[in-house]
């Protein structure tokens, strides 16, 4: 994914990565709709019982997916048969990996065609064993950088990140906000100064206008709650229209 | 060196513990660790904490020998009376320590999770005492079965938010408190209520409860001339147990932590990672955390503090479990034979003692009576009417 993202960035394109909760009714259609509407990669959430980095919308989608019988195994199985041309990343909580075993899980991702993993409760100090297994299997591990990090920490987080670097937009969990937090641009600027890994702002980027504002400083955006809400309220089609609207805004 | 020395630099007890938190919280955990280390080595801080424990919480807590019940069971049964502390449980030891530390760190707001409401009440109490703002998250199921404690927290000036996600009990209250902390970390201290969570909490909370074991050991030596044969405590996250164990871990005493049958994380011995720590955790075949089920809100938790997993894994402590029915019987037994109404949590410890008494004839058994049962009286009225 990183090679592709770097090439697109070099060509002047801003990167758009929507998040879809795996296992939520209609999620596969939603992934295809994202790809068709101009997403550069898709982040598929593997639902977890205790999603501490997620606010109400994504919690609701995760719970619905779990109640519908979603498991990491069947989601990965379905990802394999998705047939979309853009890279697929997964977002999951560490116990899903820990329980399966690092090597085994990395191999499962690889064989499902997943190219990258985002594990929001696995900070730099604890990430070593998983990152080694993922590296060996050819799966990129995207690290998150947060506004609370001192300057000294950012280059170390960036150096361990593969695929892209996830610049956490605000202090808080996923969810829509009326404005892009001031911390979003500030952190992206700090990160751009210390790394050439593509920097994408995620958490709290809530509409097309905010996405446009974010890509003034960042290489792209990850959008979750606003995407999932449209999937919940209007299905894959309404969600696809929304992704297309964001695409137009960041291409302007 | 003591078996309960400091954890490793990465916050591990053997292979348990660690700091599995969102990146946003890493600097806060590091700052907390540094502040705790500095404060714990500072005689001024220690004196301030000792003073408030003595003049406000009412320490030291006494030992009570249960002559009637002991005779009935064929052993010498001794209770460490944490129920007599201000606010009615051991939780106040940890909360006063953390609140003083938060004050020292310049934090003006506390967030806390609570199950039975005892940690929430203790946090609300400390916030009132030190002039801090406090918000307590509590599972919606627990808000109902521990209504008295909800009212106490509000009376003390705290905000209580019912959590409706997941199993609507302690596990989900922890999730919600962590979500709050992720958003407010610059002004807020997360006052965690047990020896769980990310490093440094399991260690720091243990140190704040060490006073239970220290006092108890000195009291046993003075009154009985020896350490007890067996030390028993209930285990939710494990703070009252670790507190009393700490006094005897390097002695010959047998250490027994009692879990509820519906929340027996240690017996299943399956490591997992949630709430910032690697420890034994009830989970399904895909690593989804399972819901615990216990009559006692304070023990209704699918995990356990990492140091307990460690003590179990090396065989230094044992972790049997008891059923709700045994607990209900023990709750009434202590009331009738000794005139003490225990919290449902520590009634678990007594339930195990009753069951295991035939194998402990003539032994001295020290039990941590972690809290008083007033909060459980309304719930037990319903249970016993059935
Ligand atoms: C009286 C009492 N004992 C025990 C517990 C369980 O906590 P821990 O295992 O941390 O001691 C609680 C928790 O609410 C409690 O109120």
């Amino acid at each position: 994914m990183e090679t592709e993202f770097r090439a697109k960035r070099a060509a002047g394109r801003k990167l758009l990565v929507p998040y879809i909760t795996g296992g939520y009714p209609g999620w596969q259609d939603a992934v295809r709709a994202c790809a068709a509407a101009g997403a550069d990669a898709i982040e598929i959430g593997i639902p977890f019982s205790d999603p501490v980095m997620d606010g109400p919308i994504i919690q609701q989608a995760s719970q619905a997916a779990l109640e519908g019988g979603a498991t990491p195994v069947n989601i990965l199985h379905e990802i394999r048969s998705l047939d979309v041309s853009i890279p697929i990343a997964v977002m999951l909580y560490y116990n899903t990996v820990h329980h399966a075993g690092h090597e085994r899980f990395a191999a499962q991702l690889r064989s499902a065609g997943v190219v990258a993993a985002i594990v929001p409760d696995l900070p730099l100090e604890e990430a070593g064993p998983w990152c080694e297994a993922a590296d060996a299997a050819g799966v990129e591990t995207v690290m998150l950088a947060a506004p609370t990090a001192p300057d000294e920490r950012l280059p170390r987080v960036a150096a361990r990140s593969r695929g892209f670097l996830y610049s956490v937009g605000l202090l808080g969990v996923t969810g829509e906000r009326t404005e892009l937090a001031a911390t979003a641009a500030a952190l992206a600027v700090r990160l751009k100064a210390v790394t050439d890994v593509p920097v994408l702002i995620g958490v709290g980027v809530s509409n097309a206008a905010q996405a446009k504002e974010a890509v003034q400083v960042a290489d792209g955006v990850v959008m979750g709650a606003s995407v999932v809400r449209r999937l919940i309220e209007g299905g894959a089609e309404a969600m696809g229209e929304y992704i297309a609207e964001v695409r137009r805004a960041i291409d302007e | 060196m003591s078996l309960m020395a400091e954890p490793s630099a990465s916050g591990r007890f053997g292979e348990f513990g660690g700091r599995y938190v969102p990146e946003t919280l890493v600097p806060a955990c590091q700052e907390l660790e540094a502040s705790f280390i500095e404060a714990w080595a500072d005689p001024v801080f220690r004196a301030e904490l000792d003073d408030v424990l003595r003049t406000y919480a009412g320490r030291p807590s006494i030992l009570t020998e249960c002559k009637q019940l002991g005779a009935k069971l064929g052993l010498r049964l001794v209770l460490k009376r944490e129920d007599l502390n201000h606010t009615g449980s051991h939780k106040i030891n940890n909360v006063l320590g953390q609140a003083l530390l938060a004050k020292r760190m310049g934090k003006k707001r506390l967030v806390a999770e609570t199950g039975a409401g005892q940690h929430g009440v203790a946090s609300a109490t400390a916030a009132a005492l030190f002039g801090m703002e406090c918000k307590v998250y509590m599972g919606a199921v627990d808000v109902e079965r521990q209504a008295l404690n909800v009212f106490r927290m509000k009376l003390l000036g705290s905000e209580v938010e019912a959590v409706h996600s997941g199993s609507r009990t302690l596990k989900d209250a922890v999730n919600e408190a962590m979500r709050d902390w992720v958003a407010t970390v610059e002004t807020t201290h997360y006052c965690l209520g047990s020896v769980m969570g990310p490093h440094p909490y399991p260690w720091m909370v243990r140190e704040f409860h060490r006073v239970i074991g220290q006092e108890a050991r000195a009291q046993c030596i003075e009154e009985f001339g020896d350490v007890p044969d067996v030390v028993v405590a209930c285990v939710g996250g494990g703070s009252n147990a670790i507190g009393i164990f700490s006094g005897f871990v390097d002695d010959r005493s047998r250490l027994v932590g009692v879990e509820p049958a519906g929340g027996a994380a240690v017996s299943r011995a399956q490591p997992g990672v949630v709430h910032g720590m690697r420890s034994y955790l009830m989970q399904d075949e895909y690593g989804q955390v399972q819901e615990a089920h216990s009559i006692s809100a304070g023990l209704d938790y699918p995990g356990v503090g990492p140091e307990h997993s460690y003590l179990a894994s090396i065989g230094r402590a044992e972790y049997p479990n008891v059923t709700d029915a045994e607990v209900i019987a023990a709750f009434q037994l202590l009331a009738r034979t000794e005139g003490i109404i225990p919290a449902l949590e520590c009634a678990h410890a007594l339930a195990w003692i009753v069951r295991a008494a035939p194998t402990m004839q003539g032994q001295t058994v020290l039990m941590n009576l972690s809290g008083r049962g007033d909060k459980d009286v309304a719930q037990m009225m319903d249970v016993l009417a059935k």
Side-chain angles (χ1 to χ4, degrees), chain A residues 25 35 51 56 79 110 209 215 219 238:
Chain A
I79 287 176
R110 180 71 198 192
V215 299
D219 299 313

Side-chain angles (χ1 to χ4, degrees), chain A residues 122-201:
Chain A
L122 193 63
L124 190 61
E125 288 76 4
E126 302 288 359
W130 160 250
C131 287
E132 272 171 39
D135 286 351
V139 172
E140 297 174 317
T141 302
V142 175
M143 300 299 287
L144 293 90
T148 47
D151 285 339
E152 159 283 314
R153 187 173 176 85
L154 297 180
R156 292 191 287 125
V157 174
R160 185 45 262 186
S161 202
R162 307 278 182 276
F164 64 90
L165 179 57
Y166 197 123
S167 178
V168 177
L170 48 74
L171 291 182
V173 296
T174 60
E176 293 173 87
R177 311 292 200 282
T178 50
E179 280 173 34
L180 190 67
T183 48
L187 178 62
V189 168
R190 289 169 69 204
L191 290 171
K192 296 286 290 177
V194 299
T195 183
D196 70 343
V197 176
V199 172
L200 275 67
I201 299 178

Side-chain angles (χ1 to χ4, degrees), chain B residues 221-233:
Chain B
I221 300 287
E222 184 176 323
E223 292 182 32
F224 314 114
D226 197 0
V227 295
D229 300 300
V230 190
V231 178
V232 189

Side-chain angles (χ1 to χ4, degrees), chain A residues 46-50 65-67 69-74 95-101 104, chain B residues 171 265 268-274 280-292 302-303:
Chain A
I46 297 184
F48 181 54
S49 52
D50 296 82
L66 289 173
E67 283 163 9
T71 68
V73 171
N74 62 32
N95 201 43
T96 305
V97 176
H98 179 270
H99 191 81
R104 182 161 152 240
Chain B
K171 158 177 100 71
R268 298 202 193 177
Q270 196 171 47
V273 176
V274 79
Y280 291 139
L281 175 68
M282 288 167 50
Q283 52 196 311
D284 74 7
E285 59 182 306
Y286 301 109
Q288 306 291 358
V289 181
Q290 288 175 325
E291 296 179 5

